[in-house]
Amino acid sequence: MRHVVGFLSGLLLGPLLVLIAGWAFSHVRNLHAGGGSVLAGSGPLALAGLAAAGLILALVAVPSRLTPMVAFGAALTMGGASAVAVVRMHLLERLPMVPGAEGAMVLLPLGVFVPVVVVLLAPLFVGTRWTGREKSEVGEEEYFEGLYEQDSSQLGPKHRY
């Protein structure tokens, strides 16, 4: 069940990462066109958006207890959008314009997201990502065994004179 939920979450996460990167790109491009600095105007906000996208990417690709289907779903949508942008751009232009879509339409055909897709596909090939947590073989009686017993040497404090 965790793989199904992870895959569906990844399908939502991929477009979110593309839109965050597109939104940050459009803000930085507008600052550059106006002759401004990245540290002026909305530049720090755009850099914070890129840092948030990088953090999300790291949290999806690195943790060993997370299902690899989250990363696969995100890679599938990002790679698919990049491929559609190269082959049939008019299909992406029909999508509703949301914040970040304009910048994403510029970045997608350039292949900017291909390295990100490769990073997101890497967890699929790590075998430990597919297994769940190992359940302990210790039963309840074995766990509490010896918990309340005391040795005779531990009954009182030891003093040296």
Side-chain angles (χ1 to χ4, degrees), residues 5-23 53-54 56-57 60 69-82 92 95 98-101 104 107-108 112-114 116-117 120:
V5 172
F7 181 71
L8 294 176
S9 300
L11 289 178
L12 296 175
L13 186 65
L16 179 69
L17 288 173
V18 170
L19 290 175
I20 289 173
W23 177 81
I56 291 170
L57 177 68
V60 169
M69 294 303 283
V70 175
F72 178 65
L76 189 66
T77 55
M78 292 173 80
S82 294
L92 288 178
L95 292 175
V98 294
L107 293 175
L108 281 169
V112 172
F113 297 107
V114 172
V116 176
V117 169
L120 287 173

CSV table of all heavy atoms in Angstrom, one decimal, residues 5-23 53-54 56-57 60 69-82 92 95 98-101 104 107-108 112-114 116-117 120:
chain,number,residue,atom,x,y,z
A,5,VAL,N,0.6,4.7,-2.6
A,5,VAL,CA,0.5,6.0,-2.1
A,5,VAL,C,1.7,6.9,-2.4
A,5,VAL,O,1.6,8.0,-2.8
A,5,VAL,CB,0.2,6.0,-0.5
A,5,VAL,CG1,0.3,7.4,0.1
A,5,VAL,CG2,-1.1,5.4,-0.2
A,6,GLY,N,2.8,6.2,-2.4
A,6,GLY,CA,4.1,6.9,-2.8
A,6,GLY,C,4.1,7.3,-4.3
A,6,GLY,O,4.5,8.4,-4.6
A,7,PHE,N,3.6,6.4,-5.1
A,7,PHE,CA,3.5,6.7,-6.5
A,7,PHE,C,2.6,7.8,-6.8
A,7,PHE,O,2.9,8.7,-7.6
A,7,PHE,CB,3.1,5.4,-7.3
A,7,PHE,CG,3.1,5.6,-8.8
A,7,PHE,CD1,4.3,5.7,-9.5
A,7,PHE,CD2,1.9,5.6,-9.4
A,7,PHE,CE1,4.2,5.9,-10.9
A,7,PHE,CE2,1.8,5.8,-10.8
A,7,PHE,CZ,3.0,6.0,-11.5
A,8,LEU,N,1.4,7.8,-6.2
A,8,LEU,CA,0.5,8.9,-6.4
A,8,LEU,C,1.0,10.2,-5.9
A,8,LEU,O,0.8,11.3,-6.5
A,8,LEU,CB,-0.9,8.5,-5.8
A,8,LEU,CG,-1.6,7.4,-6.4
A,8,LEU,CD1,-2.9,7.0,-5.6
A,8,LEU,CD2,-1.9,7.6,-7.8
A,9,SER,N,1.7,10.2,-4.8
A,9,SER,CA,2.3,11.4,-4.3
A,9,SER,C,3.4,11.9,-5.2
A,9,SER,O,3.6,13.1,-5.4
A,9,SER,CB,3.0,11.1,-2.9
A,9,SER,OG,2.0,10.7,-2.0
A,10,GLY,N,4.2,11.0,-5.8
A,10,GLY,CA,5.2,11.4,-6.7
A,10,GLY,C,4.6,12.0,-8.0
A,10,GLY,O,5.2,12.9,-8.6
A,11,LEU,N,3.4,11.5,-8.4
A,11,LEU,CA,2.8,12.1,-9.6
A,11,LEU,C,2.4,13.5,-9.4
A,11,LEU,O,2.3,14.3,-10.3
A,11,LEU,CB,1.6,11.3,-10.0
A,11,LEU,CG,1.8,9.9,-10.6
A,11,LEU,CD1,0.5,9.2,-10.9
A,11,LEU,CD2,2.7,10.0,-11.9
A,12,LEU,N,2.1,13.9,-8.1
A,12,LEU,CA,1.8,15.3,-7.8
A,12,LEU,C,3.1,16.1,-7.5
A,12,LEU,O,3.1,17.3,-7.8
A,12,LEU,CB,0.9,15.3,-6.6
A,12,LEU,CG,-0.5,14.7,-6.7
A,12,LEU,CD1,-1.2,14.7,-5.4
A,12,LEU,CD2,-1.3,15.4,-7.8
A,13,LEU,N,4.1,15.4,-7.0
A,13,LEU,CA,5.3,16.1,-6.7
A,13,LEU,C,6.1,16.6,-7.9
A,13,LEU,O,6.7,17.7,-7.9
A,13,LEU,CB,6.2,15.2,-5.8
A,13,LEU,CG,7.4,15.8,-5.2
A,13,LEU,CD1,7.1,17.0,-4.3
A,13,LEU,CD2,8.2,14.8,-4.5
A,14,GLY,N,6.1,15.8,-9.0
A,14,GLY,CA,6.9,16.2,-10.2
A,14,GLY,C,6.5,17.5,-10.8
A,14,GLY,O,7.3,18.4,-11.0
A,15,PRO,N,5.2,17.7,-11.1
A,15,PRO,CA,4.7,19.0,-11.6
A,15,PRO,C,5.0,20.1,-10.6
A,15,PRO,O,5.3,21.2,-11.1
A,15,PRO,CB,3.3,18.8,-11.9
A,15,PRO,CG,3.1,17.3,-12.1
A,15,PRO,CD,4.1,16.7,-11.2
A,16,LEU,N,4.9,19.8,-9.4
A,16,LEU,CA,5.1,20.9,-8.4
A,16,LEU,C,6.6,21.4,-8.4
A,16,LEU,O,6.8,22.6,-8.4
A,16,LEU,CB,4.8,20.4,-7.0
A,16,LEU,CG,5.1,21.3,-5.8
A,16,LEU,CD1,4.1,22.5,-5.9
A,16,LEU,CD2,5.0,20.6,-4.5
A,17,LEU,N,7.5,20.4,-8.6
A,17,LEU,CA,8.9,20.8,-8.7
A,17,LEU,C,9.2,21.6,-10.0
A,17,LEU,O,9.9,22.6,-10.0
A,17,LEU,CB,9.8,19.6,-8.6
A,17,LEU,CG,10.0,18.9,-7.3
A,17,LEU,CD1,10.7,17.6,-7.4
A,17,LEU,CD2,10.6,19.8,-6.3
A,18,VAL,N,8.5,21.2,-11.1
A,18,VAL,CA,8.7,21.9,-12.3
A,18,VAL,C,8.1,23.3,-12.2
A,18,VAL,O,8.8,24.3,-12.7
A,18,VAL,CB,8.0,21.1,-13.5
A,18,VAL,CG1,7.9,21.9,-14.7
A,18,VAL,CG2,8.7,19.8,-13.7
A,19,LEU,N,7.0,23.5,-11.6
A,19,LEU,CA,6.4,24.8,-11.5
A,19,LEU,C,7.2,25.7,-10.5
A,19,LEU,O,7.3,26.9,-10.8
A,19,LEU,CB,4.9,24.7,-11.0
A,19,LEU,CG,4.0,24.1,-12.0
A,19,LEU,CD1,2.6,23.9,-11.4
A,19,LEU,CD2,3.9,25.0,-13.2
A,20,ILE,N,7.8,25.1,-9.5
A,20,ILE,CA,8.6,25.9,-8.5
A,20,ILE,C,9.8,26.4,-9.3
A,20,ILE,O,10.2,27.6,-9.2
A,20,ILE,CB,9.0,25.1,-7.3
A,20,ILE,CG1,7.8,24.9,-6.4
A,20,ILE,CG2,10.1,25.8,-6.5
A,20,ILE,CD1,8.0,24.0,-5.2
A,21,ALA,N,10.5,25.5,-10.0
A,21,ALA,CA,11.6,26.0,-10.8
A,21,ALA,C,11.3,27.0,-11.9
A,21,ALA,O,12.0,27.9,-12.1
A,21,ALA,CB,12.3,24.7,-11.4
A,22,GLY,N,10.2,26.8,-12.5
A,22,GLY,CA,9.7,27.7,-13.6
A,22,GLY,C,9.4,29.1,-13.0
A,22,GLY,O,9.7,30.1,-13.5
A,23,TRP,N,8.8,29.1,-11.8
A,23,TRP,CA,8.4,30.3,-11.1
A,23,TRP,C,9.7,31.1,-10.7
A,23,TRP,O,9.8,32.3,-11.0
A,23,TRP,CB,7.6,30.0,-9.9
A,23,TRP,CG,7.2,31.2,-9.1
A,23,TRP,CD1,6.2,32.1,-9.3
A,23,TRP,CD2,7.9,31.7,-7.9
A,23,TRP,NE1,6.2,33.1,-8.4
A,23,TRP,CE2,7.3,32.8,-7.5
A,23,TRP,CE3,9.0,31.2,-7.2
A,23,TRP,CZ2,7.7,33.5,-6.4
A,23,TRP,CZ3,9.4,31.9,-6.0
A,23,TRP,CH2,8.7,33.0,-5.6
A,53,ALA,N,12.9,23.8,-3.5
A,53,ALA,CA,12.8,22.7,-4.5
A,53,ALA,C,13.9,21.7,-4.4
A,53,ALA,O,13.8,20.5,-4.5
A,53,ALA,CB,12.8,23.3,-5.9
A,54,GLY,N,15.1,22.2,-4.1
A,54,GLY,CA,16.3,21.3,-3.8
A,54,GLY,C,16.1,20.5,-2.6
A,54,GLY,O,16.5,19.3,-2.6
A,56,ILE,N,13.2,19.6,-1.2
A,56,ILE,CA,12.2,18.5,-1.6
A,56,ILE,C,12.8,17.4,-2.4
A,56,ILE,O,12.6,16.2,-2.1
A,56,ILE,CB,11.0,19.2,-2.3
A,56,ILE,CG1,10.2,20.1,-1.4
A,56,ILE,CG2,10.1,18.1,-2.9
A,56,ILE,CD1,9.2,20.9,-2.1
A,57,LEU,N,13.6,17.8,-3.3
A,57,LEU,CA,14.3,16.8,-4.2
A,57,LEU,C,15.2,15.9,-3.3
A,57,LEU,O,15.2,14.7,-3.5
A,57,LEU,CB,15.1,17.4,-5.2
A,57,LEU,CG,16.0,16.5,-6.2
A,57,LEU,CD1,15.0,15.7,-7.0
A,57,LEU,CD2,16.9,17.4,-7.0
A,60,VAL,N,13.2,13.4,-1.1
A,60,VAL,CA,12.6,12.3,-1.9
A,60,VAL,C,13.7,11.3,-2.3
A,60,VAL,O,13.4,10.1,-2.3
A,60,VAL,CB,11.9,12.9,-3.1
A,60,VAL,CG1,11.5,11.8,-4.1
A,60,VAL,CG2,10.6,13.7,-2.7
A,69,MET,N,8.9,4.6,-5.0
A,69,MET,CA,7.8,5.0,-5.9
A,69,MET,C,7.5,6.5,-5.9
A,69,MET,O,7.0,7.0,-6.9
A,69,MET,CB,6.6,4.2,-5.7
A,69,MET,CG,6.7,2.7,-5.9
A,69,MET,SD,7.3,2.3,-7.6
A,69,MET,CE,5.8,2.6,-8.5
A,70,VAL,N,7.8,7.2,-4.8
A,70,VAL,CA,7.7,8.6,-4.8
A,70,VAL,C,8.6,9.3,-5.8
A,70,VAL,O,8.2,10.1,-6.6
A,70,VAL,CB,7.9,9.2,-3.3
A,70,VAL,CG1,7.9,10.7,-3.3
A,70,VAL,CG2,7.0,8.6,-2.3
A,71,ALA,N,9.9,8.8,-5.7
A,71,ALA,CA,10.9,9.4,-6.7
A,71,ALA,C,10.5,9.0,-8.1
A,71,ALA,O,10.7,9.7,-9.0
A,71,ALA,CB,12.3,8.9,-6.3
A,72,PHE,N,10.0,7.7,-8.3
A,72,PHE,CA,9.7,7.3,-9.6
A,72,PHE,C,8.5,8.0,-10.2
A,72,PHE,O,8.6,8.4,-11.4
A,72,PHE,CB,9.4,5.8,-9.6
A,72,PHE,CG,9.0,5.2,-10.9
A,72,PHE,CD1,9.9,5.2,-12.0
A,72,PHE,CD2,7.7,4.8,-11.1
A,72,PHE,CE1,9.5,4.7,-13.2
A,72,PHE,CE2,7.3,4.3,-12.4
A,72,PHE,CZ,8.2,4.2,-13.4
A,73,GLY,N,7.5,8.3,-9.4
A,73,GLY,CA,6.4,9.1,-9.9
A,73,GLY,C,6.8,10.5,-10.3
A,73,GLY,O,6.4,11.0,-11.3
A,74,ALA,N,7.6,11.1,-9.5
A,74,ALA,CA,8.1,12.5,-9.8
A,74,ALA,C,9.0,12.4,-11.0
A,74,ALA,O,8.9,13.3,-11.9
A,74,ALA,CB,8.9,13.1,-8.6
A,75,ALA,N,9.9,11.4,-11.2
A,75,ALA,CA,10.7,11.3,-12.3
A,75,ALA,C,9.9,11.1,-13.6
A,75,ALA,O,10.2,11.6,-14.7
A,75,ALA,CB,11.7,10.2,-12.2
A,76,LEU,N,8.9,10.3,-13.5
A,76,LEU,CA,8.0,10.0,-14.6
A,76,LEU,C,7.3,11.2,-15.1
A,76,LEU,O,7.3,11.4,-16.3
A,76,LEU,CB,7.0,8.9,-14.2
A,76,LEU,CG,6.1,8.3,-15.2
A,76,LEU,CD1,7.0,7.5,-16.2
A,76,LEU,CD2,5.0,7.4,-14.6
A,77,THR,N,6.8,12.0,-14.2
A,77,THR,CA,6.1,13.2,-14.7
A,77,THR,C,7.0,14.3,-15.2
A,77,THR,O,6.7,14.9,-16.2
A,77,THR,CB,5.2,13.8,-13.6
A,77,THR,OG1,6.0,14.1,-12.4
A,77,THR,CG2,4.1,12.9,-13.2
A,78,MET,N,8.2,14.4,-14.6
A,78,MET,CA,9.1,15.4,-15.0
A,78,MET,C,9.8,15.0,-16.4
A,78,MET,O,9.9,15.8,-17.3
A,78,MET,CB,10.2,15.7,-14.0
A,78,MET,CG,9.7,16.3,-12.7
A,78,MET,SD,10.9,16.4,-11.4
A,78,MET,CE,11.9,17.8,-12.0
A,79,GLY,N,10.1,13.8,-16.5
A,79,GLY,CA,10.7,13.3,-17.7
A,79,GLY,C,9.7,13.3,-18.9
A,79,GLY,O,10.0,13.6,-20.0
A,80,GLY,N,8.4,12.9,-18.5
A,80,GLY,CA,7.4,12.9,-19.5
A,80,GLY,C,7.1,14.3,-20.0
A,80,GLY,O,6.9,14.6,-21.2
A,81,ALA,N,7.1,15.3,-19.1
A,81,ALA,CA,6.8,16.7,-19.5
A,81,ALA,C,8.0,17.2,-20.3
A,81,ALA,O,7.7,17.9,-21.3
A,81,ALA,CB,6.6,17.6,-18.3
A,82,SER,N,9.2,16.8,-20.0
A,82,SER,CA,10.3,17.2,-20.8
A,82,SER,C,10.3,16.7,-22.2
A,82,SER,O,10.5,17.3,-23.2
A,82,SER,CB,11.6,16.8,-20.2
A,82,SER,OG,11.8,17.5,-19.0
A,92,LEU,N,1.5,21.0,-24.3
A,92,LEU,CA,1.7,21.7,-23.1
A,92,LEU,C,1.2,23.1,-23.0
A,92,LEU,O,0.8,23.6,-22.0
A,92,LEU,CB,3.2,21.7,-22.7
A,92,LEU,CG,3.9,20.4,-22.3
A,92,LEU,CD1,5.3,20.6,-22.1
A,92,LEU,CD2,3.2,19.8,-21.1
A,95,LEU,N,-2.3,23.6,-21.5
A,95,LEU,CA,-2.6,23.5,-20.1
A,95,LEU,C,-2.9,24.9,-19.5
A,95,LEU,O,-2.5,25.9,-20.1
A,95,LEU,CB,-1.3,22.9,-19.4
A,95,LEU,CG,-1.0,21.5,-19.7
A,95,LEU,CD1,0.3,21.1,-19.1
A,95,LEU,CD2,-2.1,20.5,-19.2
A,98,VAL,N,-0.7,28.6,-14.8
A,98,VAL,CA,-0.6,28.8,-13.3
A,98,VAL,C,0.7,29.5,-13.0
A,98,VAL,O,1.6,29.5,-13.9
A,98,VAL,CB,-0.7,27.4,-12.6
A,98,VAL,CG1,-2.1,26.8,-12.8
A,98,VAL,CG2,0.3,26.5,-13.0
A,99,PRO,N,0.9,30.0,-11.8
A,99,PRO,CA,2.2,30.6,-11.6
A,99,PRO,C,3.3,29.7,-11.8
A,99,PRO,O,3.3,28.5,-11.2
A,99,PRO,CB,2.1,31.1,-10.1
A,99,PRO,CG,0.6,31.2,-9.9
A,99,PRO,CD,-0.1,30.2,-10.7
A,100,GLY,N,4.3,30.1,-12.5
A,100,GLY,CA,5.5,29.2,-12.8
A,100,GLY,C,5.4,28.5,-14.1
A,100,GLY,O,6.4,27.9,-14.6
A,101,ALA,N,4.2,28.5,-14.8
A,101,ALA,CA,4.0,27.7,-16.0
A,101,ALA,C,4.8,28.4,-17.2
A,101,ALA,O,5.4,27.7,-18.0
A,101,ALA,CB,2.6,27.6,-16.4
A,104,ALA,N,8.4,27.4,-16.7
A,104,ALA,CA,8.5,26.0,-17.0
A,104,ALA,C,8.5,25.7,-18.5
A,104,ALA,O,9.2,24.8,-18.9
A,104,ALA,CB,7.4,25.2,-16.2
A,107,LEU,N,12.0,26.2,-19.7
A,107,LEU,CA,13.0,25.3,-19.2
A,107,LEU,C,12.8,23.9,-19.7
A,107,LEU,O,13.8,23.2,-19.8
A,107,LEU,CB,13.0,25.3,-17.6
A,107,LEU,CG,13.4,26.6,-16.9
A,107,LEU,CD1,13.2,26.4,-15.4
A,107,LEU,CD2,14.9,26.9,-17.3
A,108,LEU,N,11.5,23.5,-19.9
A,108,LEU,CA,11.3,22.1,-20.2
A,108,LEU,C,11.9,21.6,-21.6
A,108,LEU,O,12.6,20.6,-21.6
A,108,LEU,CB,9.8,21.8,-20.3
A,108,LEU,CG,9.1,21.6,-18.9
A,108,LEU,CD1,7.6,21.6,-19.0
A,108,LEU,CD2,9.6,20.3,-18.3
A,112,VAL,N,16.6,20.9,-18.9
A,112,VAL,CA,17.1,21.3,-17.6
A,112,VAL,C,16.8,20.2,-16.6
A,112,VAL,O,17.5,20.0,-15.6
A,112,VAL,CB,16.6,22.7,-17.2
A,112,VAL,CG1,16.9,23.0,-15.8
A,112,VAL,CG2,17.1,23.7,-18.2
A,113,PHE,N,15.6,19.6,-16.7
A,113,PHE,CA,15.2,18.6,-15.7
A,113,PHE,C,15.7,17.2,-16.0
A,113,PHE,O,15.4,16.3,-15.2
A,113,PHE,CB,13.6,18.6,-15.7
A,113,PHE,CG,13.1,20.0,-15.3
A,113,PHE,CD1,12.5,20.8,-16.2
A,113,PHE,CD2,13.2,20.4,-14.0
A,113,PHE,CE1,12.0,22.0,-15.8
A,113,PHE,CE2,12.7,21.6,-13.6
A,113,PHE,CZ,12.1,22.4,-14.5
A,114,VAL,N,16.4,16.9,-17.0
A,114,VAL,CA,16.9,15.6,-17.3
A,114,VAL,C,17.9,15.1,-16.2
A,114,VAL,O,17.7,14.0,-15.7
A,114,VAL,CB,17.6,15.5,-18.7
A,114,VAL,CG1,18.3,14.2,-18.9
A,114,VAL,CG2,16.5,15.7,-19.8
A,116,VAL,N,17.8,16.0,-13.1
A,116,VAL,CA,16.9,15.8,-11.9
A,116,VAL,C,16.2,14.4,-12.1
A,116,VAL,O,16.1,13.7,-11.1
A,116,VAL,CB,15.9,16.9,-11.8
A,116,VAL,CG1,15.0,16.7,-10.6
A,116,VAL,CG2,16.7,18.2,-11.6
A,117,VAL,N,15.8,14.1,-13.3
A,117,VAL,CA,15.1,12.8,-13.5
A,117,VAL,C,16.0,11.7,-13.3
A,117,VAL,O,15.7,10.7,-12.7
A,117,VAL,CB,14.5,12.8,-15.0
A,117,VAL,CG1,14.1,11.4,-15.3
A,117,VAL,CG2,13.4,13.8,-15.1
A,120,LEU,N,16.4,11.2,-9.6
A,120,LEU,CA,15.1,10.6,-9.0
A,120,LEU,C,15.0,9.2,-9.4
A,120,LEU,O,14.3,8.4,-8.7
A,120,LEU,CB,13.9,11.4,-9.4
A,120,LEU,CG,13.8,12.8,-8.8
A,120,LEU,CD1,12.6,13.6,-9.4
A,120,LEU,CD2,13.6,12.6,-7.3
